[in-house]
């Protein structure tokens, strides 16, 4: 409860940055991350982020400062942002404070609350088992496997199936791992959030998910902290309920943008390309909390925007340092009807090594990628001269590559009502077995269309 003995006065307002003066107190000024409440404007909260002296603090407003005047009275709430945690959050849409924004009623006051500024799990409590998180999606599990308790980047523009892929992962987490999913929208447009909510609700996976949004129209403080809010709720399911959690973040680059806005308003000297000098620390504070413990795991899939397609951008470089795999969606494959439109040549994983995934998986994945790469190199020759001008060996590679491309497509559970195909979740062993048989030529005599939009390879012969 707010302590009126710890009240201060607004000294200056610079956009979302507010300076507040306090009288001399034995305990000193409010600690970093404490929330300050403006009297007469209960909805306006200010998070302390700097001590400017023994009596002056600088904070970032978590709401609009329009109309806020110098001399306004401010009360220290005595605590940081505290959000509710628990199973009662499943199926709900929340804001950065854990307040519902889905018009389904209030969150029960009886739920425990935790500070969003948690700490990284100590190394001695982490349990990095180097296990694959099986998504049931053939192209991902074979060529860019996701590490259980690891971080993966999802690269894709509008209209290439990113949302569908996210929904299928939520579905598979609920069915295969009996776990829950958290969707964190950082800087989401209202239209994007509403569409995603409607689609997840329509396909019936909302009850196993929690959605947390910091909208694009909200102040940078909200967009910067909403990731910590979602992560705090996910940590409860991992540590207290001992569950596997899938954390989907869209878009992690907007988290950096929000930090850059705050840094600029604080007057900090910018680093390379105008980014905040504290960028590396801010990313690490968020990313290092995503980890596995003996009780459960948090596996994260993060959409990453690449400015001007420049992979050497400082923000992208710092994000890449934390990712164990990258999944690239291709607009060309989407236009060819090859869904999911995952680019097999650009997608990569750091755990695709023999001593983690096994020698067989590694060998088949490398042979598959090599065959598809050779086919890509031969496409120009085929376009100019025709496939008949290729050598017998090259024609064989092309035929098998085309069959591999079609086998790596699959119908999703969440798209059944649109495509008419029954959704299929395929085990990793079945995926490896299917690719191995295609590479050996066991399906050379089958029409390539017979491998399109199927589950295991056994469905072809059936």
């Amino acid at each position: 409860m707010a302590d009126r003995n710890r009240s201060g006065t607004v000294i200056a307002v610079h956009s979302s940055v507010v300076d507040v003066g306090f009288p001399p107190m034995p305990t000193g000024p409010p600690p970093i991350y404490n929330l300050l409440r403006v009297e007469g404007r209960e909805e306006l909260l200010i998070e302390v982020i700097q001590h400017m002296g023994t009596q002056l603090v600088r904070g970032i407003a978590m709401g609009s400062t329009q109309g806020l005047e110098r001399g306004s009275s401010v009360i220290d709430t005595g605590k940081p942002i505290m959000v509710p945690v628990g199973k009662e959050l499943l199926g709900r849409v929340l804001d950065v404070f854990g307040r519902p924004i889905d018009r389904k009623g209030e969150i029960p006051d009886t739920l425990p609350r935790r500070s969003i500024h948690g700490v990284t799990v100590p190394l001695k409590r982490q349990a990095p088992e180097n296990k694959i998180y099986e998504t049931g999606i053939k192209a991902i599990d074979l060529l860019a496997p996701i590490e259980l308790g690891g971080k993966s980047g999802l690269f894709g523009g509008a209209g290439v199936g990113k949302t569908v892929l996210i929904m299928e992962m939520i579905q598979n987490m609920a069915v295969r791992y009996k776990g829950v999913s958290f969707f964190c929208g950082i800087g989401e447009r209202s239209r994007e959030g509403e569409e995603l909510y409607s689609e997840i609700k329509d396909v019936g996976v909302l009850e196993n998910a929690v959605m947390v949004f910091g909208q694009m129209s909200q102040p940078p403080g909200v967009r910067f902290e909403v990731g910590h809010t979602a992560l705090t709720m996910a940590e409860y399911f991992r540590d207290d309920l001992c569950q596997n959690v899938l954390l989907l973040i869209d878009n992690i680059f907007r988290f950096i943008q929000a930090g850059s806005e705050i840094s600029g308003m604080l007057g900090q000297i910018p680093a390379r390309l105008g980014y905040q000098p504290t960028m590396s620390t801010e990313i690490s504070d968020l990313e290092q909390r995503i980890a596995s413990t003996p009780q459960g795991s948090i596996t994260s899939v993060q959409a990453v925007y690449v400015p001007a397609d420049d992979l050497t951008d400082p923000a992208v470089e710092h994000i890449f340092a934390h990712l164990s795999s990258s999944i690239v969606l291709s607009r060309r494959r989407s236009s060819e009807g090859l869904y999911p439109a995952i680019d097999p040549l650009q997608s990569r994983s750091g755990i695709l090594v023999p001593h983690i995934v096994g020698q067989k998986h590694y060998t088949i994945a490398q042979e598959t990628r090599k065959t598809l790469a050779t086919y890509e190199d031969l496409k120009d020759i085929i376009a100019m001269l025709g496939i008949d001008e290729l050598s017998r060996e090259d024609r064989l590679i092309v035929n098998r590559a085309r069959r591999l491309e079609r086998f790596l497509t699959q119908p999703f559970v969440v798209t059944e009502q649109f495509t008419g195909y029954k959704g299929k979740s395929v085990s990793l062993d079945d995926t490896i077995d299917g690719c191995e048989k295609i590479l050996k030529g066991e399906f050379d005599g089958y029409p390539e269309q017979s491998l399109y939009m199927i589950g295991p390879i056994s469905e072809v012969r059936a």
Side-chain angles (χ1 to χ4, degrees), residues 142 360 364 407 427-439 442-443 456-458 461:
L142 178 71
K360 183 178 181 181
I364 298 301
F407 176 65
S427 70
L428 177 58
D429 290 338
D430 285 341
T431 300
I432 294 172
D433 180 61
C435 291
E436 183 181 28
K437 289 179 177 177
I438 293 172
L439 289 167
E442 294 185 26
F443 288 86
I457 198 73
S458 58
R461 292 193 172 114

Short mmCIF file of all heavy atoms in Angstrom, two decimals, residues 142 360 364 407 427-439 442-443 456-458 461:
data_model
loop_
_atom_site.label_atom_id
_atom_site.label_comp_id
_atom_site.label_asym_id
_atom_site.label_seq_id
_atom_site.Cartn_x
_atom_site.Cartn_y
_atom_site.Cartn_z
N LEU A 142 13.88 -31.40 -38.48
CA LEU A 142 14.98 -32.01 -39.21
C LEU A 142 16.13 -31.03 -39.43
O LEU A 142 17.29 -31.36 -39.15
CB LEU A 142 14.49 -32.53 -40.56
CG LEU A 142 15.58 -33.15 -41.45
CD1 LEU A 142 16.04 -34.48 -40.88
CD2 LEU A 142 15.11 -33.29 -42.89
N LYS A 360 22.79 -40.24 -37.12
CA LYS A 360 21.83 -40.47 -38.21
C LYS A 360 21.08 -39.19 -38.56
O LYS A 360 20.97 -38.83 -39.74
CB LYS A 360 20.85 -41.57 -37.83
CG LYS A 360 19.88 -41.92 -38.96
CD LYS A 360 18.95 -43.06 -38.57
CE LYS A 360 18.01 -43.41 -39.73
NZ LYS A 360 17.08 -44.51 -39.36
N ILE A 364 21.44 -37.32 -42.24
CA ILE A 364 20.28 -37.16 -43.12
C ILE A 364 19.99 -35.68 -43.36
O ILE A 364 19.66 -35.25 -44.47
CB ILE A 364 19.04 -37.87 -42.53
CG1 ILE A 364 19.29 -39.38 -42.43
CG2 ILE A 364 17.81 -37.59 -43.38
CD1 ILE A 364 19.60 -40.05 -43.75
N PHE A 407 7.77 -33.49 -49.44
CA PHE A 407 7.63 -34.25 -48.20
C PHE A 407 7.76 -33.35 -46.98
O PHE A 407 7.14 -33.59 -45.94
CB PHE A 407 8.69 -35.36 -48.14
CG PHE A 407 8.67 -36.13 -46.86
CD1 PHE A 407 7.57 -36.91 -46.50
CD2 PHE A 407 9.74 -36.07 -45.97
CE1 PHE A 407 7.54 -37.61 -45.29
CE2 PHE A 407 9.73 -36.76 -44.77
CZ PHE A 407 8.62 -37.54 -44.43
N SER A 427 6.46 -37.21 -35.85
CA SER A 427 7.58 -37.41 -34.93
C SER A 427 8.90 -37.23 -35.68
O SER A 427 8.97 -37.38 -36.90
CB SER A 427 7.52 -38.80 -34.31
OG SER A 427 7.83 -39.80 -35.27
N LEU A 428 9.95 -36.92 -34.93
CA LEU A 428 11.27 -36.72 -35.53
C LEU A 428 11.76 -38.00 -36.21
O LEU A 428 12.34 -37.95 -37.30
CB LEU A 428 12.25 -36.27 -34.46
CG LEU A 428 13.71 -36.07 -34.89
CD1 LEU A 428 13.82 -35.05 -36.02
CD2 LEU A 428 14.57 -35.65 -33.71
N ASP A 429 11.54 -39.15 -35.59
CA ASP A 429 11.98 -40.42 -36.18
C ASP A 429 11.31 -40.67 -37.53
O ASP A 429 11.96 -41.14 -38.47
CB ASP A 429 11.68 -41.58 -35.22
CG ASP A 429 12.58 -41.55 -33.99
OD1 ASP A 429 13.65 -40.93 -34.06
OD2 ASP A 429 12.19 -42.15 -32.96
N ASP A 430 10.01 -40.37 -37.63
CA ASP A 430 9.30 -40.55 -38.90
C ASP A 430 9.82 -39.59 -39.96
O ASP A 430 9.90 -39.94 -41.15
CB ASP A 430 7.80 -40.34 -38.70
CG ASP A 430 7.13 -41.52 -38.00
OD1 ASP A 430 7.74 -42.61 -38.00
OD2 ASP A 430 6.04 -41.34 -37.44
N THR A 431 10.17 -38.37 -39.55
CA THR A 431 10.72 -37.39 -40.49
C THR A 431 12.06 -37.86 -41.04
O THR A 431 12.31 -37.81 -42.25
CB THR A 431 10.87 -36.02 -39.80
OG1 THR A 431 9.59 -35.57 -39.35
CG2 THR A 431 11.44 -34.99 -40.78
N ILE A 432 12.94 -38.29 -40.15
CA ILE A 432 14.26 -38.77 -40.57
C ILE A 432 14.12 -39.99 -41.47
O ILE A 432 14.79 -40.09 -42.51
CB ILE A 432 15.12 -39.10 -39.33
CG1 ILE A 432 15.42 -37.83 -38.53
CG2 ILE A 432 16.42 -39.79 -39.74
CD1 ILE A 432 16.10 -38.09 -37.20
N ASP A 433 13.24 -40.90 -41.09
CA ASP A 433 13.02 -42.12 -41.89
C ASP A 433 12.52 -41.78 -43.29
O ASP A 433 12.99 -42.35 -44.29
CB ASP A 433 12.01 -43.02 -41.16
CG ASP A 433 11.73 -44.30 -41.92
OD1 ASP A 433 12.66 -45.09 -42.14
OD2 ASP A 433 10.56 -44.50 -42.32
N GLY A 434 11.58 -40.82 -43.39
CA GLY A 434 11.04 -40.45 -44.69
C GLY A 434 12.09 -39.84 -45.60
O GLY A 434 12.21 -40.20 -46.78
N CYS A 435 12.88 -38.91 -45.06
CA CYS A 435 13.93 -38.27 -45.87
C CYS A 435 15.00 -39.28 -46.29
O CYS A 435 15.52 -39.22 -47.41
CB CYS A 435 14.56 -37.12 -45.09
SG CYS A 435 13.46 -35.70 -44.86
N GLU A 436 15.32 -40.19 -45.40
CA GLU A 436 16.33 -41.21 -45.72
C GLU A 436 15.87 -42.07 -46.90
O GLU A 436 16.66 -42.35 -47.82
CB GLU A 436 16.60 -42.08 -44.50
CG GLU A 436 17.69 -43.12 -44.73
CD GLU A 436 17.92 -43.99 -43.51
OE1 GLU A 436 16.96 -44.16 -42.72
OE2 GLU A 436 19.04 -44.49 -43.34
N LYS A 437 14.62 -42.48 -46.89
CA LYS A 437 14.10 -43.33 -47.97
C LYS A 437 14.04 -42.57 -49.29
O LYS A 437 14.30 -43.15 -50.36
CB LYS A 437 12.73 -43.87 -47.58
CG LYS A 437 12.79 -44.91 -46.47
CD LYS A 437 11.42 -45.42 -46.08
CE LYS A 437 11.55 -46.51 -45.01
NZ LYS A 437 10.24 -47.00 -44.54
N ILE A 438 13.69 -41.28 -49.24
CA ILE A 438 13.67 -40.49 -50.47
C ILE A 438 15.07 -40.34 -51.03
O ILE A 438 15.30 -40.48 -52.24
CB ILE A 438 13.03 -39.10 -50.20
CG1 ILE A 438 11.55 -39.25 -49.85
CG2 ILE A 438 13.19 -38.19 -51.43
CD1 ILE A 438 10.90 -37.97 -49.38
N LEU A 439 16.06 -40.08 -50.16
CA LEU A 439 17.45 -39.93 -50.60
C LEU A 439 18.01 -41.22 -51.18
O LEU A 439 18.86 -41.20 -52.08
CB LEU A 439 18.31 -39.46 -49.42
CG LEU A 439 18.09 -38.02 -48.95
CD1 LEU A 439 18.75 -37.78 -47.60
CD2 LEU A 439 18.62 -37.02 -49.98
N GLU A 442 13.98 -44.79 -52.85
CA GLU A 442 12.87 -45.73 -52.71
C GLU A 442 11.55 -45.17 -53.24
O GLU A 442 10.61 -45.93 -53.46
CB GLU A 442 12.71 -46.13 -51.23
CG GLU A 442 13.87 -46.94 -50.68
CD GLU A 442 13.62 -47.41 -49.26
OE1 GLU A 442 12.44 -47.55 -48.88
OE2 GLU A 442 14.61 -47.65 -48.53
N PHE A 443 11.49 -43.85 -53.43
CA PHE A 443 10.24 -43.24 -53.91
C PHE A 443 10.43 -42.57 -55.27
O PHE A 443 9.62 -41.72 -55.66
CB PHE A 443 9.72 -42.24 -52.87
CG PHE A 443 9.16 -42.91 -51.65
CD1 PHE A 443 9.99 -43.27 -50.60
CD2 PHE A 443 7.81 -43.21 -51.56
CE1 PHE A 443 9.49 -43.90 -49.48
CE2 PHE A 443 7.30 -43.84 -50.44
CZ PHE A 443 8.14 -44.20 -49.40
N PRO A 456 3.67 -38.84 -42.05
CA PRO A 456 4.79 -39.77 -42.24
C PRO A 456 4.83 -40.29 -43.67
O PRO A 456 3.85 -40.27 -44.41
CB PRO A 456 4.50 -40.89 -41.25
CG PRO A 456 3.46 -40.34 -40.31
CD PRO A 456 2.69 -39.32 -41.07
N ILE A 457 6.01 -40.80 -44.05
CA ILE A 457 6.21 -41.30 -45.42
C ILE A 457 5.34 -42.53 -45.68
O ILE A 457 5.02 -42.83 -46.85
CB ILE A 457 7.70 -41.62 -45.64
CG1 ILE A 457 8.02 -41.72 -47.13
CG2 ILE A 457 8.09 -42.89 -44.92
CD1 ILE A 457 8.05 -40.39 -47.86
N SER A 458 4.93 -43.23 -44.64
CA SER A 458 4.10 -44.43 -44.81
C SER A 458 2.77 -44.12 -45.45
O SER A 458 2.14 -45.01 -46.03
CB SER A 458 3.88 -45.11 -43.45
OG SER A 458 3.27 -44.21 -42.54
N ARG A 461 2.53 -44.96 -49.45
CA ARG A 461 2.24 -46.32 -49.86
C ARG A 461 0.82 -46.72 -49.47
O ARG A 461 0.19 -47.52 -50.14
CB ARG A 461 3.26 -47.28 -49.22
CG ARG A 461 4.67 -47.10 -49.78
CD ARG A 461 5.56 -48.27 -49.36
NE ARG A 461 6.85 -48.21 -50.05
CZ ARG A 461 8.01 -47.99 -49.43
NH1 ARG A 461 8.03 -47.81 -48.13
NH2 ARG A 461 9.14 -47.98 -50.12
#
